[in-house]
Amino acid sequence: MSAAGVAALLWGLSCGASALWRYSSNSPNYHIFSSRSTIKLEYEGTLFSEWSVPGTCSMKNKRSPKTELRCPPGIQIIKPIVTAPDLEEERYLSVDSSHTCFLWYYKVVIVIWIYDPENADPSELLWNANEPSLNSIILTKQLATLGQTPIIYTILRRKVYFPHTRMKNGTWHISVPMTAGDMLKEIRGNQVAFQDCFIADFLFLLTVPLLTIPEIPGSLPISSPRGSQLMADWYDCVLSFVVVVADMETFQTNDSFRTWTRVRVPPNILTDDERHSVSDMNLSQDGIFFLINGILYVKSFHEFTRLGRNVDLPDGGIIGITSRKWCWVRYLMKAKRGRSSMAIWTENEVYLGYTGLKFVKIITTENLKKLLNISPATTLTIHNVEYTAHPLELALLLNYCVTCTVSKKVYLVIYNEDSKEWAHQDFALDVAIDSFLIPRFLYSAMPEFILWDKHRIYYYYHNLTITGVLQTPTESGNLSRLSDNSIIHDVFTDYFGNIVVKMENNIMFYFKINIRDAVKLHLWTNSTIKSVTSMNAWGQVYLIYVFENGTIHPQEYPLKLEAESIAFQRKEKCPYIAFHNNIFTVFYFLDKGQNLSVWAQIVYPENVGLYIIVESYGPKILEQKEQVHYEIASGYCTKTMTVTFSQNVNYEAVDDYFKLQHQNTGLLLVQIRPSEYARTCPRSQNVFQVAVGCDGNKFIAVKGFNKKECLRHDFIYIIEKSFLRNRPSKNLRVRYNWKEYGCPLRLDFREKFHPLLQLYDDNGFVEDVGVNFIVWEIHGRDDYTFNNTMKKSGCLNEAQTWKSMTTLNKHLPLEDAWGPEFL
């Protein structure tokens, strides 16, 4: 449904409720909001008289509740004039002066063309076009004549894909593999202008298609209790795949609700009351998990199953389930089991869930009492569980009390899935005995999170050293008193540090990570409509509406513009002018002998006194050196910090090589941020991983070998038994393994062969390997000789040899008989 269609439906379903107004543009996610953009205004209510807009703006019909206008660059004050004594709130819309006018359009195959949002077909604006419109064909061909050519750049692996040689019907075709580890892609072009207009880079998500569960005829609705608020969950790395539970149906989508289907269950498994008693829901690779009356169920493509002792879970008493909120496609984990995908808990036990419906109990409250050094006679229960921003950690909130009649303490412990260690945090919160707190860890290297009850938000920043209650201009942080006594429904957080608190009546508050006060946003959705916030494939917030007629619709929400409007009213400014860095990925691998250097630069007005902060979280296995360069000119200061991470560990002549290596490998999270920022700053901090160890995607190959340039055939050769190490009674018949070794290398037997080892990763060749290495014949033949002696090579003493090491380690396989652990 179009934006106009959603608006009409919202207006029709909000009669009798309080009035409000909003706006939209033709550009997806308000990507372009400039003097060239058509701004569509809509008033929702019955008291409208006319629009009040600056005289510099041009408007179609100022007396129509729905109209269009264009405005010059700058802050434009817009509001509706109504017949009632109460004035409608005004917005301060920031209209850009950008020369970016056009956007890339793509189809998943991938077909790409250029379109102008202000002159596009409706199908292009709705993103369901199968081919370019006539205007788009002309525009694409014109820009191609001027030298425009798109490429697809992958954000995580930094690969580049180019179009096929020729355009076809005003489109470019590019072949791009769909890989789970490189989903985030961007369409980029050349700096080519047409009529002083450029094309905006376009970020999108491309992965292996995720299919929604089909609705089987005769199945029945599954929902939350009547009158409940909406629940939503999405894949942490595929944000467009979402499930929403309402009080009449459950809905699913794989394209952010451009299309959707219902999720229903077979009859005769649940009673009618049970089908309408969903208290929690989670989305996983194994299906959709529903928590109903303390029992966990899973809906997959093929069945709807009750889970319990059959999968090592309790048959009842489950009080919560959760999954990861932040996407880490790559990470370093030394443990063999792998990373969990969800957590399940009762009052006294915590379980982790893995792909394939495998579940493992990791802790009980009895063990937690010992960990916290708490008396066995006291009461300790699990309050809530949440995954942190760290790719391998999980946090538990614990209830602690003695008499348990008036108040209780809430403690925090963090569990690392790799080391299997529990860490008690410096956190204790006194609350009423019936209080229930919901945690949400923020996108940060350090453990930073917010908590909320029905009325207030509690913040814990900078590794829990800065804490307090989120403040508001009035009512001392009680958000309910500022929202007509409504209570907190949900809290939205994103990768840019934005935090939106949505109340049950759809009033919203806004703040950012490390900010200690919130502002009330302009009213956007009527209180009679049920909605929930979600994150689309571009990482932007959007609203999902569920209507009483059993339909669901998404609507883009211009958070940046709405926040700028409030900031202009409050005269808020970002303390710095610019904050730049060269951190182009969220994951770096450091192998032995390597180092990593990154830089960050901040520009700010003179006498403000800002600086750059670098923080890391994880094992202390890297050395960190910082160098700061300072400049001042024309009243502005520029500070540039270069940070180098390195490791200086000597592995020679150690007692236990592998133990030392294990101790000095691991995963660090690093963040670089300005010392001060505000709600008006574009991004709060940059977070990335540094994995220290061996990259599993790297491999060694002998130069000259390949797996394509030869005809494979059944190649068998015989090794004479007298040439074999153990002198067997029969000759050895060997079948050549083409798949593993590739094409044999053709050599002149009269020439000496010295293999050159080369290092590769998933991006291709990295470097020649310049270290000593061992070569052995895998089938045990010993009829080879050496070109040199130890004495001729300059050895003062006899070194280790293949013969001495295989003799010493007869009990080991050949591939383990000699290695760095024996040096």
Side-chain angles (χ1 to χ4, degrees):
M1 181 178 287
S2 66
V6 174
L9 188 54
L10 289 171
W11 188 88
L13 294 173
S14 63
C15 294
S18 59
L20 56 87
W21 71 278
R22 53 183 163 255
Y23 55 94
S24 62
S25 77
N26 291 325
S27 175
N29 297 297
Y30 300 82
H31 194 69
I32 300 174
F33 199 81
S34 65
S35 55
R36 194 173 176 273
S37 302
T38 299
I39 303 173
K40 300 177 182 179
L41 302 179
E42 52 181 297
Y43 179 84
E44 190 177 290
T46 59
L47 302 175
F48 177 80
S49 177
E50 63 179 43
W51 292 100
S52 171
V53 300
T56 54
C57 297
S58 61
M59 176 174 281
K60 271 190 175 182
N61 184 355
K62 66 184 299 183
R63 297 190 181 277
S64 173
K66 296 180 181 179
T67 189
E68 297 178 359
L69 80 156
R70 279 188 168 93
C71 292
I75 302 296
Q76 309 298 337
I77 305 175
I78 301 172
K79 69 175 181 178
I81 299 174
V82 296
T83 57
D86 294 334
L87 297 177
E88 290 293 335
E89 60 181 346
E90 59 188 12
R91 281 182 168 93
Y92 296 78
L93 294 186
S94 177
V95 179
D96 199 359
S97 61
S98 171
H99 286 277
T100 299
C101 313
F102 309 135
L103 293 171
W104 297 105
Y105 194 102
Y106 77 96
K107 299 288 293 181
V108 172
V109 274
I110 291 175
V111 179
I112 297 174
W113 66 85
I114 303 164
Y115 79 105
D116 179 358
E118 302 305 319
N119 296 285
D121 273 7
S123 62
E124 290 175 315
L125 296 179
L126 292 174
W127 277 84
N128 56 18
N130 293 317
E131 59 185 20
S133 63
L134 179 60
N135 284 341
S136 297
I137 291 174
I138 295 171
L139 178 63
T140 302
K141 289 183 175 180
Q142 181 65 49
L143 279 160
T145 302
L146 296 172
Q148 184 58 266
T149 304
I151 64 167
I152 291 183
Y153 175 82
T154 68
I155 303 298
L156 298 176
R157 299 287 176 85
R158 291 182 282 179
K159 293 184 177 181
V160 178
Y161 297 92
F162 297 91
H164 300 168
T165 52
R166 291 185 178 181
M167 293 182 65
K168 183 179 180 181
N169 299 326
T171 62
W172 289 279
H173 293 246
I174 303 180
S175 298
V176 181
M178 294 185 181
T179 57
D182 204 12
M183 297 179 291
L184 197 58
K185 297 171 174 66
E186 188 173 48
I187 305 175
R188 298 177 178 179
N190 302 323
Q191 291 298 313
V192 176
F194 176 64
Q195 296 181 350
D196 293 329
C197 281
F198 293 91
I199 310 171
D201 294 340
F202 193 82
L203 194 69
F204 68 102
L205 198 68
L206 182 66
T207 183
V208 177
L210 295 173
L211 302 177
T212 55
I213 299 174
E215 183 180 339
I216 301 174
S219 56
L220 301 173
I222 184 169
S223 69
S224 56
R226 193 67 184 168
S228 301
Q229 293 294 314
L230 303 182
M231 291 183 281
D233 194 31
W234 54 86
Y235 279 143
D236 54 353
C237 291
V238 187
L239 301 174
S240 58
F241 202 101
V242 190
V243 174
V244 170
V245 178
D247 61 358
M248 87 289 285
E249 288 277 5
T250 294
F251 308 89
Q252 62 178 336
T253 180
N254 57 10
D255 58 5
S256 298
F257 285 106
R258 286 182 189 154
T259 62
W260 52 271
T261 57
R262 294 178 177 88
V263 178
R264 293 190 167 187
V265 298
N268 304 321
I269 295 180
L270 300 173
T271 65
D272 288 346
D273 287 342
E274 288 172 333
R275 281 193 301 105
H276 300 294
S277 299
V278 175
S279 59
D280 208 347
M281 176 272 301
N282 253 347
L283 186 58
S284 167
Q285 292 183 3
D286 292 312
I288 306 170
F289 290 86
F290 295 98
L291 183 59
I292 301 172
N293 298 336
I295 301 170
L296 194 61
Y297 298 82
V298 62
K299 169 67 175 174
S300 65
F301 272 84
H302 309 291
E303 56 188 352
F304 181 69
T305 309
R306 174 175 173 167
L307 303 178
R309 282 179 289 180
N310 56 325
V311 291
D312 300 320
L313 282 176
D315 287 324
I318 297 174
I319 60 175
I321 54 177
T322 190
S323 57
R324 299 183 185 276
K325 301 297 187 295
W326 303 111
C327 175
W328 294 106
V329 175
R330 299 184 68 189
Y331 51 88
L332 176 67
M333 188 171 187
K334 296 184 282 186
K336 293 182 179 181
R337 171 176 285 278
R339 194 173 69 143
S340 66
S341 58
M342 66 181 300
I344 307 101
W345 65 98
T346 67
E347 280 195 348
N348 301 297
E349 299 171 331
V350 179
Y351 299 78
L352 293 183
Y354 302 86
T355 303
L357 296 181
K358 295 181 174 63
F359 300 93
V360 176
K361 185 197 297 184
I362 59 169
I363 198 73
T364 65
T365 50
E366 292 302 314
N367 293 330
L368 285 168
K369 285 181 180 180
K370 298 175 184 177
L371 174 70
L372 300 174
N373 197 21
I374 292 176
S375 169
T378 58
T379 299
L380 186 72
T381 59
I382 296 166
H383 183 91
N384 215 326
V385 178
E386 179 79 355
Y387 284 99
T388 73
H390 191 288
L392 304 176
E393 291 191 346
L394 178 78
L396 273 61
L397 289 178
L398 305 173
N399 294 319
Y400 168 76
C401 57
V402 180
T403 58
C404 303
T405 55
V406 179
S407 64
K408 62 184 177 184
K409 279 187 179 293
V410 178
Y411 291 133
L412 174 68
V413 293
I414 292 180
Y415 174 69
N416 187 290
E417 291 191 55
D418 196 16
S419 66
K420 294 181 171 52
E421 294 179 350
W422 293 89
H424 181 205
Q425 304 298 305
D426 185 14
F427 171 90
L429 181 64
D430 291 302
V431 296
I433 193 68
D434 58 348
S435 293
F436 182 71
L437 301 170
I438 301 174
R440 180 66 48 82
F441 278 80
L442 307 175
Y443 187 64
S444 169
M446 316 298 289
E448 298 183 314
F449 64 97
I450 54 175
L451 290 172
W452 67 90
D453 54 22
K454 291 182 178 181
H455 313 292
R456 287 184 170 85
I457 303 285
Y458 304 85
Y459 60 81
Y460 297 87
Y461 299 147
H462 299 171
N463 202 12
L464 315 186
T465 59
I466 296 178
T467 67
V469 176
L470 187 72
Q471 293 300 302
T472 51
T474 59
E475 304 298 345
S476 302
N478 190 318
L479 303 184
S480 295
R481 293 177 184 170
L482 295 171
S483 53
D484 302 326
N485 294 319
S486 184
I487 61 175
I488 297 174
H489 168 215
D490 193 24
V491 176
F492 169 85
T493 58
D494 67 12
Y495 292 91
F496 308 103
N498 296 306
I499 305 173
V500 178
V501 182
K502 194 193 86 67
M503 311 299 286
E504 287 190 351
N505 63 357
N506 294 322
I507 290 175
M508 294 188 288
F509 298 87
Y510 173 71
F511 64 109
K512 274 196 169 186
I513 184 173
N514 295 319
I515 301 298
R516 308 177 199 181
D517 63 295
V519 294
K520 189 176 181 179
L521 292 171
H522 300 300
L523 190 61
W524 186 265
T525 305
N526 218 294
S527 60
T528 60
I529 307 297
K530 287 191 175 179
S531 70
V532 67
T533 56
S534 187
M535 192 187 304
N536 62 22
W538 298 277
Q540 306 293 326
V541 62
Y542 72 104
L543 295 169
I544 302 170
Y545 301 117
V546 174
F547 302 111
E548 290 297 328
N549 61 1
T551 60
I552 186 167
H553 297 285
Q555 186 182 53
E556 294 172 352
Y557 179 71
L559 177 59
K560 180 176 179 291
L561 292 170
E562 292 291 270
E564 286 176 349
S565 175
I566 299 296
F568 185 83
Q569 288 178 288
R570 294 170 56 88
K571 296 180 172 56
E572 293 182 4
K573 290 185 177 180
C574 183
Y576 54 84
I577 307 301
F579 181 63
H580 301 294
N581 57 70
N582 69 335
I583 302 167
F584 301 120
T585 181
V586 295
F587 186 84
Y588 294 91
F589 233 121
L590 279 188
D591 211 333
K592 295 185 182 74
Q594 295 181 333
N595 57 50
L596 170 67
S597 291
V598 297
W599 60 261
Q601 183 182 82
I602 188 169
V603 181
Y604 56 92
E606 190 177 0
N607 299 323
V608 174
L610 300 183
Y611 52 94
I612 298 169
I613 297 175
V614 180
E615 297 166 308
S616 62
Y617 175 76
K620 307 300 181 183
I621 54 178
L622 287 180
E623 296 178 0
Q624 178 178 320
K625 293 183 179 180
E626 300 174 1
Q627 186 176 7
V628 179
H629 179 71
Y630 178 79
E631 294 180 358
I632 183 169
S634 303
Y636 292 96
C637 301
T638 302
K639 284 182 182 176
T640 305
M641 173 184 283
T642 302
V643 186
T644 301
F645 299 93
S646 61
Q647 191 177 71
N648 185 21
V649 179
N650 186 0
Y651 286 95
E652 294 184 3
V654 296
D655 294 334
D656 193 330
Y657 175 88
F658 288 114
K659 180 180 179 181
L660 182 63
Q661 179 178 261
H662 190 272
Q663 290 172 346
N664 288 279
T665 58
L667 184 66
L668 280 80
L669 260 63
V670 181
Q671 65 187 22
I672 298 181
R673 62 179 177 87
S675 57
E676 294 180 20
Y677 35 78
R679 278 182 289 267
T680 49
C681 299
R683 185 163 186 164
S684 302
Q685 56 198 23
N686 284 81
V687 180
F688 59 96
Q689 296 181 64
V690 180
V692 184
C694 183
D695 186 351
N697 293 317
K698 287 183 178 180
F699 61 93
I700 293 173
V702 180
K703 184 179 181 180
F705 284 86
N706 65 77
K707 296 188 177 183
K708 296 181 180 179
E709 299 177 3
C710 60
L711 179 62
R712 300 189 179 191
H713 59 280
D714 194 9
F715 178 32
I716 297 174
Y717 62 96
I718 304 296
I719 301 177
E720 174 69 32
K721 61 184 179 181
S722 61
F723 297 153
L724 293 173
R725 176 183 171 202
N726 296 322
R727 301 297 184 265
S729 59
K730 295 181 180 180
N731 296 336
L732 181 63
R733 188 171 183 265
V734 179
R735 185 184 299 273
Y736 186 77
N737 190 331
W738 293 89
K739 183 177 180 181
E740 184 173 355
Y741 304 124
C743 303
L745 187 62
R746 190 177 297 273
L747 297 169
D748 188 332
F749 74 94
R750 292 167 296 186
E751 295 179 0
K752 296 178 181 179
F753 172 60
H754 182 86
L756 174 62
L757 300 188
Q758 294 182 321
L759 184 65
Y760 291 82
D761 62 14
D762 51 0
N763 290 319
F765 174 76
V766 177
E767 62 182 3
D768 292 334
V769 178
V771 298
N772 296 329
F773 58 89
I774 301 165
V775 177
W776 68 92
E777 206 284 326
I778 60 174
H779 300 296
R781 64 186 301 167
D782 58 3
D783 61 327
Y784 46 81
T785 59
F786 297 94
N787 299 323
N788 217 347
T789 65
M790 294 182 192
K791 186 174 182 180
K792 289 180 180 179
S793 299
C795 296
L796 298 178
N797 299 299
E798 182 177 339
Q800 292 176 342
T801 66
W802 179 248
K803 182 177 180 180
S804 65
M805 296 307 295
T806 54
T807 302
L808 180 65
N809 298 302
K810 291 180 179 180
H811 60 289
L812 296 176
L814 287 177
E815 59 268 23
D816 296 331
W818 197 8
E821 68 273 25
F822 298 114
L823 297 178

